[in-house]
Each structure stands twice: as structure tokens, then as C-alpha cells.
Amino acid sequence: MKYSIGVDIGGTKVKVVILDECKVIHKYELKTNKENNGEFIIKEIVDSICNYINNNDIKYEMIYSIGVGVPGPVVNDVVKFCVNLGWGEKNVVVEFLNLLPFKTFISCLNDANATIYAEIYNKYNSAVMVTLGTGIGGGIFNGTVLEGFNGSAGEIGHINVSNPYHFKCNCGLHNCFETVASSTGIQNIYKFKTNIDLDCKEIFTKAINNDTISLEVIEEVCDYIGRVCSILSVTINPEIIIIGGGVSLAGGFLLDKINYYFNKYSFNSVKNTNIILSVLKNDSGGIGVALYAKEKRKCVSKSET
Amino acid sequence: MKYSIGVDIGGTKVKVVILDECKVIHKYELKTNKENNGEFIIKEIVDSICNYINNNDIKYEMIYSIGVGVPGPVVNDVVKFCVNLGWGEKNVVVEFLNLLPFKTFISCLNDANATIYAEIYNKYNSAVMVTLGTGIGGGIFNGTVLEGFNGSAGEIGHINVSNPYHFKCNCGLHNCFETVASSTGIQNIYKFKTNIDLDCKEIFTKAINNDTISLEVIEEVCDYIGRVCSILSVTINPEIIIIGGGVSLAGGFLLDKINYYFNKYSFNSVKNTNIILSVLKNDSGGIGVALYAKEKRKCVSKSET
């Protein structure tokens, strides 16, 4: 019996999952201790893992791998920075290895990429994920997770999209994709047209019920999303594009319109790219990074033998 | 002594290079025989290689690898189709192995990707190439060449770019990047503004000499190129973006303007991406695919030992 552990470090709590093969057999949380620029975070995680192992009569050699997900850019297992944790550049793998009382395989991944890994694991060889939340995130998977030169691959919320609003993005630029297709962006377009503050979910409900202005807003938003999906597919040509995040809860109503505009803008050879809705469940960040580290260890072991 | 062979199959001729390590020690060409949907092409290449080997007293076991570049999409060494050669789906590797009188390692790559491989070999770990010619091609390298699900990764000429002209692209769509930033696109914008047919090179010469309309056209074109480069960098986050193709011969004048617009549109964390001009030389397609096959064999050998 071998266990894989996934640690999802967030700004307020750390979620830990223990997997036996691909099944979660245990999970727990601890508070993220941000004192002194987060210098105790890793020590407290290691202590909690050791407690779990000792209390459950698990032998150290049964821990096949530990995956660590962090809310910041990661390149080759090294964290570039995590504003939310107070971390600058940090070699998380080395810190875990120094603190753990046993040897195991450790790997580190950006938390959004960990989530995507959970989504596509054992299903697709290549995928692009478009996460439409209060902002827009993304991830690219092509055999493995694409991290990019400084961990910024998949920052698709900041793709420049021509639009008549020119809302200012949190990043300082104008015309970023997330200013017109995140839930915030949808609300802002609706307000621009009506001068009314309405929640994104309500705008969708009204659109489904054929309210003219809401429908106009959603059509326009799906035009932006379809256009960006067409850009992503002609650039990366993934097997599948997965739409996730809060906005994706609008379901088939949203997906049909995205597909319509995707087809309108797409180059012939990528027109058949499937676009689907995310099916992610709870704890996907921890599960994803646990699976990622497990597969990476398998791969490394293979090439060493 | 080990030799790597690169075969660059084009629509009119096949170029063959023989490399000793990374140096070209011999090269020759043959006519591409397109009779019967190109069914004799591989046989004629194999015959020419055998002739060369026999005439030069090379032992079969000294041929470390053969790389084959083709003008069409390739996924995992299988050609999807090559309109210019009359080929449908074709397992080039198997056909070579069946016809060759000796065993060696064979690999196949799209010709544009082969060219990019020559450009970045031993220099960069990740790169995006933007080839501004009569159309626009592209390639993405991230440790290895990104082929995409059906061989269409890097078809960046068909990224949708908002512009006032809506010229129709050869692919049937409107607003493709190549309709406004290839040499054809530049000529078409100039004609739209002046009703005069002028060669792309002349438009650049006039712009360098401060002709108002030409300068306006080039500024606008560089805005499109800078915008697309910003999209590529925030999506793929490569170490470097390389501008190649005939239009890139405009040199520093072009590059400075592209950098200006790239900076204007780019997300902070990728603003420092270097954009450089291509330094490709002759035979880069053949050299690239020879190096690609050589490195792939090294990699395969390593994981088998």
C-alpha cells in the first residue's frame, strides 16, 4: 500500500488530502499561519503530516509522494513568489525535505494548475482550461502542465480583447479578457448599458427568461469568450477546452452560445475542438497536486531504471 | 563517427543534409516527384540516401538518425495530410523503415517546426516563433515542439485580430492576423489607404524615409503584431519570441515598433519577454529536422537504458 499526499496552501487555510491510489481516504485542514512572512507554514504542515502518519500506524516508506499547491507562479518546483502567503522566491521542495523526518518524493505546482490537473487526469492528453470567476484564470496541459518561463503561462485573463468599454483591469491594463467576461466584467457591462447594479447570476437568469438587455449582454460576453477560445485553439490546438469557474454554472445556456461564437471565429482545422463544462468537485486542488506528484515520481523512477 | 540526416520535403524539391555532430558535411537536392499522389517520393529519397552512403564508404550503423520534414500537419511522427505532395494520412516513419536496407532511428516533423527547431537548438528552453511572410506561420517550442492535437498548434496566422479592414483570409475567415500583418496584408492596407499597389519592401523603405502614409501603415501593422505577441506571451509565457519571415528583414526599424506595442499591451509578469529577429540561414529546415531526430533518439535511448 502506497499513499500520495496533496497539500493545497491557500491564503486562509491549508487543505491536506491523503490518497490511497486515486481515492481520498482522509482529509483535514489547518489555518495558514502568515506570521513573519509565512515562515512557519511549511513546518506546521510537516508536523501535521507526521501526526497523521504516526496516529495511523503508517510506515514512512508508504508515503510515495507529496504534492504541494501554492497560490503563485511556480517554475520547476520553485515558487517565484506568493503575495498571499508573504513568500518571495522559495524552494518548497528543499524546505519540505529538510523538515520531514523521512525521505519521499516532493513536487510543487501552482494551485490553479493543480486544479486543472485533477480535471484532466486520465481523461485528456492536452487541454486548455478557462476559469471564469470574479477574474479569469487559465491553464494549459500538454502531456504535462505548461508553467512557462517565469510561471505565467495560462494567464489568459489578460489577453487583449477589443471591446467598446475599455474598463481598467486590476493589472493596470485596459481591454483585458477578464474585464469583459468574468462575473465582474459581466456585471460592469450590464451596468454600463442600464446603470443598474445586478449580480452576474441574476443577469443570466434574466437572459434565460429573454430579457432583451440581459440577453444582449450575454451574447456579447459569449462572443468575447468564443473569440478567446478560438485564439487558444489555433495557438495550442488542445484536445479539449474546459470552461470552469462560477460563471460556468450557467451551464448549457452559456456553452451553446460559446460554441456558436467559437465556430464563427475558428480556423477550419481546429473547429472540431470540443468545448465542455468543468466537472470539478471539492478538494480538487489538493487531489490534483497529489496526483501530479505521484505521476511525476512514476516518470522519474522510470527514467532512472 | 555518427551521422544525422535531415530530409526537407518541399512541394518542388527535396533538400537533404548530412550532419556530422551539428555540422553540415554534405547536402544535395532532388526534384519532388508528385506523380500518383507523391507515391514515389519516399522511395526516391531512400535511394538517394543509399547512393550517398555507398559512394562514401559509410557503414549503415554510422547513420544515427534520419529526420523528415514535411509541408503539412504532423502528430507523433504521423503526417495528417500534405496537399502540396498529394499525400493523405501517411506513416512516414514506417514507410522509410520498410524501404531502407538498414535499421536506424527515424522521426518526422512539420517543416515550419523543423525550421524553428534549428533556430532555438541549444539556445532556448522555450520559444515562440512568428514567421511574417506572404502569410503568417508560427511555432511553439517548450522543451519540445508543440504539435497540438491534430498538428495545428502554432497556426497563429489565423488568430482573430480586430481591425477596420475585414479582408478575407485564404482560409475563408475574416480578420485573421495574416490579413493585416503578412507582406500581403501590409500591401493590402497600403492599397486600401492610397489605392496604389506597392511592394511590401517599398512600403518599408518609404516608411523609413518618413513618408506619412507608409509610416501610418507600418505603425498600425506593428500594433497588430505587438498585440498578438502579447497574447502569445501571456498564454504560453515563452523565454523568447522570435520574429522571422521576409517581413522581418525590415530589421531594427520593425523590431523597435513591435517592442513598443508589445509593452503597451502586455501583462506585467511577461513584459520582460525578449523579442528578437530570426537569424536563420539556408537549409535550416533540413538541419532542424536532423537535429530534432538526433535529440529524440538520444532521449529514447536514455529512457530505454
Side-chain angles (χ1 to χ4, degrees), chain A residues 64-79:
Chain A
Y64 186 71
S65 55
I66 301 178
V68 184
V70 299
V74 178
V75 179
N76 294 329
D77 290 313
V78 176
V79 176

Side-chain angles (χ1 to χ4, degrees), chain B residues 134-267:
Chain B
T134 50
I136 295 182
I140 298 162
F141 179 84
N142 180 60
T144 188
V145 171
L146 184 71
E147 293 178 329
F149 184 58
N150 55 27
S152 300
E155 284 280 11
I156 60 169
H158 304 281
I159 285 181
N160 183 284
V161 174
S162 292
N163 70 82
Y165 310 107
H166 314 302
F167 299 136
K168 193 168 180 180
C169 185
N170 286 330
C171 77
L173 292 167
H174 294 261
N175 303 321
C176 287
F177 179 39
E178 71 177 32
T179 65
V180 289
S182 63
S183 61
T184 323
I186 295 171
Q187 288 159 200
N188 287 340
I189 295 178
Y190 187 85
K191 183 162 188 186
F192 185 93
K193 287 178 188 281
T194 62
N195 218 14
I196 298 169
D197 276 310
L198 204 61
D199 181 74
C200 179
K201 207 176 153 185
E202 290 175 72
I203 299 169
F204 268 105
T205 306
K206 284 172 77 106
I208 289 169
N209 290 309
N210 281 315
D211 171 67
T212 315
I213 304 256
S214 309
L215 210 47
E216 190 184 303
V217 172
I218 300 304
E219 284 294 334
E220 199 183 314
V221 167
C222 290
D223 186 310
Y224 299 135
I225 301 171
R227 216 188 302 168
V228 166
C229 287
S230 83
I231 290 173
L232 294 169
S233 62
V234 86
T235 304
I236 296 153
N237 185 209
E239 188 175 350
I240 201 140
I241 296 176
I242 303 167
I243 309 288
V247 175
S248 75
L249 299 177
F253 179 74
L254 176 82
L255 191 60
D256 288 350
K257 291 185 192 300
I258 293 176
N259 266 309
Y260 170 80
Y261 290 104
F262 175 75
N263 257 284
K264 181 174 166 186
Y265 294 122
S266 282
F267 185 53

Side-chain angles (χ1 to χ4, degrees), chain B residues 102-130:
Chain B
F102 57 95
K103 213 187 144 201
T104 186
F105 182 88
I106 317 240
S107 192
C108 184
L109 196 62
N110 165 267
D111 55 1
N113 284 335
T115 305
I116 291 153
Y117 198 83
E119 180 97 37
I120 53 92
Y121 183 72
N122 271 345
K123 282 191 281 191
Y124 308 108
N125 290 315
S126 67
V128 168
M129 181 134 183
V130 179

Side-chain angles (χ1 to χ4, degrees), chain B residues 15 26 36 42 57 78-79 97 100 106 145 151 166 189 191-192 205 239 258 270 292 295:
Chain B
K15 297 180 180 182
H26 186 70
N36 279 353
I42 294 180
D57 275 334
V78 176
V79 176
L97 286 175
L100 275 172
I106 317 240
V145 171
H166 314 302
I189 295 178
K191 183 162 188 186
F192 185 93
T205 306
E239 188 175 350
I258 293 176
V270 297
Y292 176 77
E295 291 302 319

